[in-house]
Amino acid sequence: MKTQKITAATIDKVRELFQANNWPLDIATPSSLFNRFVNFLGRLTQDEQVFFIELTHKFLYIPFEKYPEALKPAILELLKHYSKKDLVVVNCLCLKDYGKSKSPFLISYLFRGLSLLYGGEYNIHVAQDIHAFHKVSLSALKNKVVVIVDDFIGSGETAVGTCKEIMASLEANKVTGDEVLPKFVCLAIVALEAGVNALKELNVETYATHVLNKAISSVTDDAERQRQSSLMDSIEGRLEKFNAENRFGYRGSEALVSLERCPNNTFPAYWLTKDAPFYRFG
């Protein structure tokens, strides 16, 4: 891999970026986010470096230690609508993913802890996974709200799949024809518009602290949008293991976000290669 020169002026721009985004300026640790970011810039031409730094000013990074604080606005919005309802918290996890280590457990665990308890009182039952609904009667869920939780909702595939599987289990448990399904909602720290819209088609509301649109496609100026698109294509074209199916992120999501783990909906330049700033381990 041919590396480009990183000028002192470019490093100053990275420092300004990290200060603006309130990211840790750890220069001493070789594997720090700051050093990974600077080293990754060595892959890029000077024009690409400038563009990548500019784009990253819009990047949202929420590590695990900030989850309780980051989730609270979404919870408070949910409670505005369902404060008098019992909440049944369920991991956003389809049957095919059961048994895997997944991010929804990080969120459902918070509902068992103290950080959210100190923020307010509400009736919560943590069901953990969809297997809990195989023998649940609809009468037991009367006046309850099923809350599907995750730290991130991307395209909506997993969230929609989880909702449909639970709904199917409950439908199979109907005793009488007049029984109705409970209200379903999704709760997340971050959601993409595509996922919100996919859930809306299923009549499932989404409560998220941050709702993100496509970072490049949302640029209103045609020439600027084309410029950014061309630069990102150039950057992605030289990434090892790059797959055209992941152009601009999974399903073309164009996301600029990382939580404790960076979702593949984010532009691959941020996570695909081992030297990427938000490399996806495992």
Side-chain angles (χ1 to χ4, degrees):
M1 178 186 67
K2 184 179 179 180
T3 58
Q4 301 291 328
K5 181 180 179 182
I6 307 296
T7 65
T10 297
I11 294 176
D12 286 340
K13 288 292 184 182
V14 177
R15 285 197 181 96
E16 293 173 5
L17 163 68
F18 272 59
Q19 290 169 348
N21 286 4
N22 198 27
W23 293 350
L25 263 172
D26 181 359
I27 300 173
T29 306
S31 61
S32 70
L33 176 59
F34 179 85
N35 285 324
R36 293 181 68 86
F37 193 95
V38 171
N39 291 336
F40 181 80
L41 291 179
R43 288 176 168 266
L44 313 181
T45 67
Q46 288 190 351
D47 286 345
E48 291 167 352
Q49 290 174 8
V50 171
F51 162 67
F52 197 71
I53 292 170
E54 290 176 349
L55 189 68
T56 308
H57 273 278
K58 298 192 291 184
F59 199 99
L60 178 64
Y61 174 40
I62 304 175
F64 180 61
E65 62 265 22
K66 295 184 179 180
Y67 275 27
E69 177 186 356
L71 188 63
K72 278 183 180 178
I75 292 176
L76 291 175
E77 187 64 27
L78 171 66
L79 293 176
K80 283 182 183 179
H81 297 83
Y82 302 108
S83 60
K84 296 182 180 179
K85 298 281 188 178
D86 288 348
L87 306 180
V88 181
V89 174
V90 188
N91 290 320
C92 185
L93 200 67
C94 294
L95 281 171
K96 65 180 178 62
D97 293 323
Y98 185 71
K100 298 178 182 178
S101 179
K102 291 286 187 176
S103 57
F105 291 98
L106 299 176
I107 302 300
S108 62
Y109 184 74
L110 291 176
F111 281 93
R112 296 179 179 273
L114 298 174
S115 296
L116 297 182
L117 172 67
Y118 296 154
E121 294 184 6
Y122 30 83
N123 297 319
I124 296 174
H125 170 68
V126 181
Q128 288 287 13
D129 60 72
I130 62 176
H131 289 279
F133 289 88
H134 287 332
K135 296 182 180 180
V136 174
S137 66
L138 283 170
S139 60
L141 293 175
K142 189 175 181 180
N143 296 322
K144 291 181 172 61
V145 178
V146 177
V147 185
I148 311 297
V149 300
D150 204 344
D151 61 351
F152 174 76
I153 295 173
S155 66
E157 280 184 22
T158 301
V160 168
T162 301
C163 290
K164 285 183 175 180
E165 288 180 0
I166 294 175
M167 290 174 180
S169 291
L170 293 175
E171 287 280 1
N173 293 340
K174 277 188 175 182
V175 177
T176 63
D178 59 351
E179 289 181 310
V180 296
L181 293 175
K183 178 67 178 178
F184 279 71
V185 301
C186 280
L187 177 74
I189 297 173
V190 182
L192 301 186
E193 281 188 344
V196 173
N197 292 335
L199 286 161
K200 191 180 295 183
E201 292 182 4
L202 196 62
N203 198 29
V204 175
E205 300 169 340
T206 301
Y207 294 87
T209 302
H210 304 275
V211 178
L212 308 181
N213 56 15
K214 292 188 174 185
I216 292 179
S217 295
S218 62
V219 175
T220 55
D221 182 80
D222 291 343
E224 176 60 18
R225 185 172 61 253
Q226 181 58 47
R227 183 187 76 87
Q228 293 188 19
S229 181
S230 296
L231 284 166
M232 186 55 78
D233 272 328
S234 178
I235 292 171
E236 291 185 350
R238 64 169 61 95
L239 298 176
E240 301 91 4
K241 301 180 182 179
F242 177 70
N243 188 322
E245 293 180 1
N246 280 332
R247 178 180 181 264
F248 289 13
Y250 180 69
R251 288 200 164 189
S253 296
E254 300 182 29
L256 286 172
V257 61
S258 180
L259 291 108
E260 183 59 29
R261 189 166 191 249
C262 188
N264 63 359
N265 304 80
T266 292
F267 291 98
Y270 288 96
W271 57 264
L272 181 61
T273 59
K274 288 187 177 181
D275 62 339
F278 298 92
Y279 176 57
R280 282 169 60 92
F281 290 92

